[in-house]
C-alpha cells in the first residue's frame, strides 16, 4: 500500500520528552524550598556513579565546566601541553585553553572517529601532561593503547564522554578509565537542560573537585584554594534522575534504530556506515555515515530535508580551523589527514528513541534518493 504523504513536520535529529515522573520530581524540589545544590544533586551523583561504574561522580553546571574542572584538578596550566582530537566540538578545545595550557592535535581512526594511539604516541612531547580522547557519537575510542601511553609516560587521561553516557570498552564504562567528563545538555542522551558530571575513582581528585566547585571551600568559609562556582542545582538534578531509570529502555530503542538503518542502507556503494566495534557498547548518540567521495554534502542535506528528514553535520570543519584559534600560539596544528577527510564527508541521521519503523523507511528512502541524484 502506498504511504500517505507526510503532513507533519520533518523527522528531527533529536527529540526531548520529559514525563510525569520528571514533573513530580521538579515539583518536589520547588516545594522543598531547596532549589540550589542540595539532596537531589547528591542523589544524582550517587545514581550516575553507579551508571559509570566509578566511586565518585561530581555534578557541575555543564559539560564544558566538567572538562575545565577536571583539568584544573589535575593541575594543568600555562606551559603544559594537552593532546586531543581535532574532530570535536569547540568545548573540548575551549576548556583546554581556559586552563592556560597549549593543545596539540593527533589524528583519529576512521572506524570509530576517536583518537588514534599511534598518532598520540608520535605527537607526545616533553611538555605533554594530558591526553583528552573524545568518545564521539556514543562510542568509546580505542582506549586500551591510550591508557597504556598515559601510564607509561605519566600523563593524565581526561575522557571527553559528553556524548557517551553508559558506553563501554572491554566491559567497563567510559569515564572510569581516567577522569570522565559528561554533559547533560538538552540534546545529549541524558539531559538536565544544562549540566555536567566528572567521574573518577581517585578519592583525592574527587575531594579537590568538590572544593574547586564550591569557591575553594573545604567547609563553610574555610578557603583552601581560589575556586569557582561550578555547582549544579537541584532543579536540574530532578530533571535528569528519572531519565536514568528509563535509560536502558531508551538505549535499546537507539540500538534497534541504528540496526534498522544499517539494514536498510548497507547496499549503497561508497556510503560508509557506523559500526559498533568488538568489545564495546555503542550508545548511539548519533548515527554518523561518511558520504561517498564524490557526493556534495550540502546538496545531500538539502535533499534529505526535501524528503522530510533532518540531518546533522557534526562537525563540518576541524575545530582549530575556526577563526578564534588561527592566531593563538597555544594551538599547535599538525596534519591529521583522516580527521580532515572525515570532517568533509560526515553526516548524522536521526537515531533517537522516538522513531517509528515508518520513519526508518522514510530516512532510508531519502538517503537513497539523495545519492542517486
Ligand atoms: C556537548 C559537548 C561538550 C560540552 O558540553 P556542554 O554541556 O554543552 O558544555 C563537550 N564535548 C563534546 C564532545 C560535546 O558533544
Amino acid at each position: 500500500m502506498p504511504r500517505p504523504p507526510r503532513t507533519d513536520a520533518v523527522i528531527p535529529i533529536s527529540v526531548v520528552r520529559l514525563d510525569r515522573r520528571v514533573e513530580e520530581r521538579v515539583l518536589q524540589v520547588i516545594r522543598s524550598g531547596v532549589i540550589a545544590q542540595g539532596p537531589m544533586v547528591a542523589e544524582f551523583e550517587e545514581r550516575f556513579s553507579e551508571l559509570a561504574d566509578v566511586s565518585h561522580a561530581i555534578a557541575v553546571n555543564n559539560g564544558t565546566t566538567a572538562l575545565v574542572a577536571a583539568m584544573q584538578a589535575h593541575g594543568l596550566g600555562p606551559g603544559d601541553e594537552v593532546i586531543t582530537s581535532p574532530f570535536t566540538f569547540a568545548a573540548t578545545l575551549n576548556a583546554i585553553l581556559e586552563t592556560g595550557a597549549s593543545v596539540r592535535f593527533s589524528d583519529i581512526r576512521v572506524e570509530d572517529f576517536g583518537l588514534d594511539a599511534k598518532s598520540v604516541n608520535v605527537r607526545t612531547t616533553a611538555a605533554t601532561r594530558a591526553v583528552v580522547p573524545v568518545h564521539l557519537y556514543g562510542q568509546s575510542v580505542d582506549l586500551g593503547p591510550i591508557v597504556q601511553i598515559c601510564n607509561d609516560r605519566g600523563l593524565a587521561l581526561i575522557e571527553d564522554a559528553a556524548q557517551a553516557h553508559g558506553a563501554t570498552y572491554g566491559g567497563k564504562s567510559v569515564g572510569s578509565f581516567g577522569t570522565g567528563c559528561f554533559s547533560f545538555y538538552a540534546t545529549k542522551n541524558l539531559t538536565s537542560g544544562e549540566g555536567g558530571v566528572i567521574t573518577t575513582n581517585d578519592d583525592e581528585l574527587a575531594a579537590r573537585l568538590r572544593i574547586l566547585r564550591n569557591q575553594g571551600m573545604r567547609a563553610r568559609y574555610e578557603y583552601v584554594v581560589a575556586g569557582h562556582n561550578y555547582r549544579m542545582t537541584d532543579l536540574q538534578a530532578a530533571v535528569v534522575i528519572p531519565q536514568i531509570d528509563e535509560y536502558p529502555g531508551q538505549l535499546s530503542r537507539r540500538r534497534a534504530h541504528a540496526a534498522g538503518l544499517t539494514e536498510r542502507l548497507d547496499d549503497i556503494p561508497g556510503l560508509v556506515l557506523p559500526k559498533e566495534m568488538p568489545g564495546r557498547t555503542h550508545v548511539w548518540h548519533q548515527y554518523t555515515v561518511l558520504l561517498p567521495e564524490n557526493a556534495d554534502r550540502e546538496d545531500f542535506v538539502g535533499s534529505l530535508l526535501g524528503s522530510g528528514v533532518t540531518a546533522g553535520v557534526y562537525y563540518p570543519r576541524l575545530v582549530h580551523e575556526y577563526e578564534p584559534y588561527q592566531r593563538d600560539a597555544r594551538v599547535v596544528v599538525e596534519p591529521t589527514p583522516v580527521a580532515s577527510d572525515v570532517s568533509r564527508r560526515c553526516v548524522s541521521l536521526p537515531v533517537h528513541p522516538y522513531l517509528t519503523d515508518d520513519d526508518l523507511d522514510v530516512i532510508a528512502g531519502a538517503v537513497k534518493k539523495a545519492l542517486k541524484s
Side-chain angles (χ1 to χ4, degrees):
M1 225 172 52
R3 199 192 329 278
R6 288 185 72 90
T7 50
D8 50 334
V10 292
I11 300 170
I13 188 84
S14 75
V15 172
V16 179
R17 279 189 203 167
L18 301 172
D19 65 12
R20 282 285 296 279
R21 291 170 348 112
V22 170
E23 290 174 18
E24 279 156 21
R25 281 240 176 205
V26 171
L27 269 180
Q28 196 184 324
V29 171
I30 290 168
R31 288 172 180 154
S32 78
V34 181
I35 56 175
Q37 183 185 304
M40 216 52 101
V41 168
E43 183 177 343
F44 167 56
E45 291 180 333
E46 179 64 33
R47 295 295 310 277
F48 198 76
S49 67
E50 287 160 18
L51 192 151
D53 208 9
V54 289
S55 34
H56 305 279
I58 298 97
V60 293
N61 51 5
N62 61 60
T64 311
T65 301
L67 287 162
V68 171
M71 290 188 240
Q72 289 173 333
H74 278 283
L76 296 178
D80 296 330
E81 214 169 80
V82 178
I83 291 184
T84 193
S85 167
F87 188 57
T88 186
F89 183 49
T92 319
L93 175 54
N94 288 341
I96 296 168
L97 295 176
E98 187 166 333
T99 68
S102 301
V103 61
R104 188 179 286 272
F105 298 99
S106 290
D107 210 351
I108 62 170
R109 289 159 36 106
V110 70
E111 302 92 321
D112 56 21
F113 307 105
L115 270 188
D116 183 341
K118 287 199 284 295
S119 178
V120 172
N121 206 25
V122 297
R123 301 249 159 119
T124 305
T125 71
T128 308
R129 292 278 318 281
V131 180
V132 182
V134 182
H135 304 304
L136 212 59
Y137 307 141
Q139 177 154 241
S140 172
V141 311
D142 189 12
L143 273 172
I146 291 174
V147 168
Q148 187 74 48
I149 291 170
C150 290
N151 288 344
D152 290 350
R153 306 197 181 180
L155 310 177
L157 174 64
I158 297 167
E159 305 174 58
D160 183 338
Q163 302 186 3
H165 318 70
T168 67
Y169 179 89
K172 283 177 58 188
S173 173
V174 300
S176 71
F177 290 82
T179 308
C181 301
F182 294 84
S183 166
F184 296 82
Y185 178 66
T187 56
K188 309 286 161 134
N189 282 16
L190 292 169
T191 178
S192 54
E194 297 277 6
V197 148
I198 305 138
T199 53
T200 179
N201 286 313
D202 181 333
D203 298 348
E204 274 176 42
L205 191 81
R208 272 205 296 288
L209 283 163
R210 291 183 190 286
I211 289 168
L212 267 179
R213 168 177 71 177
N214 195 24
Q215 305 288 8
M217 285 191 286
R218 184 155 42 212
R220 180 168 267 231
Y221 304 134
E222 191 191 322
Y223 299 100
V224 292
V225 291
H228 210 288
N229 175 359
Y230 292 148
R231 296 183 304 263
M232 179 188 265
T233 70
D234 266 22
L235 285 166
Q236 291 163 293
V239 172
V240 68
I241 290 169
Q243 295 170 51
I244 297 178
D245 298 327
E246 304 287 332
Y247 198 43
Q250 298 269 338
L251 283 185
S252 55
R253 283 190 286 281
R254 285 181 183 272
R255 171 176 287 277
H257 297 161
L261 288 172
T262 294
E263 203 181 288
R264 288 166 174 80
L265 296 173
D266 73 355
D267 55 353
I268 302 179
L271 183 72
V272 181
L273 303 181
K275 278 197 228 23
E276 181 176 63
M277 303 298 286
R280 303 184 215 177
T281 46
H282 197 316
V283 295
W284 298 105
H285 176 58
Q286 299 291 352
Y287 183 94
T288 303
V289 302
L290 297 181
L291 296 183
E293 304 272 2
N294 58 351
D296 182 301
R297 183 166 57 191
E298 244 175 83
D299 291 349
F300 177 85
V301 171
S303 171
L304 249 60
L305 202 55
S307 304
V309 178
T310 312
V313 178
Y314 316 111
Y315 298 94
R317 294 163 73 182
L318 299 182
V319 68
H320 55 69
E321 290 174 2
Y322 291 95
E323 212 272 329
Y325 311 112
Q326 294 296 309
R327 288 171 311 277
D328 193 327
R330 295 174 303 156
V331 180
V332 183
V333 177
E334 289 163 287
T336 53
V338 177
S340 293
D341 180 53
V342 164
S343 70
R344 273 194 298 271
R345 294 170 59 201
C346 65
V347 174
S348 302
L349 305 174
V351 72
H352 64 74
Y354 306 105
L355 297 170
T356 63
D357 277 354
D358 268 1
D359 290 336
L360 296 176
D361 290 340
V362 170
I363 296 166
V367 170
K368 288 181 182 167
K369 184 174 168 214
L371 289 178
K372 240 173 236 144
S373 56

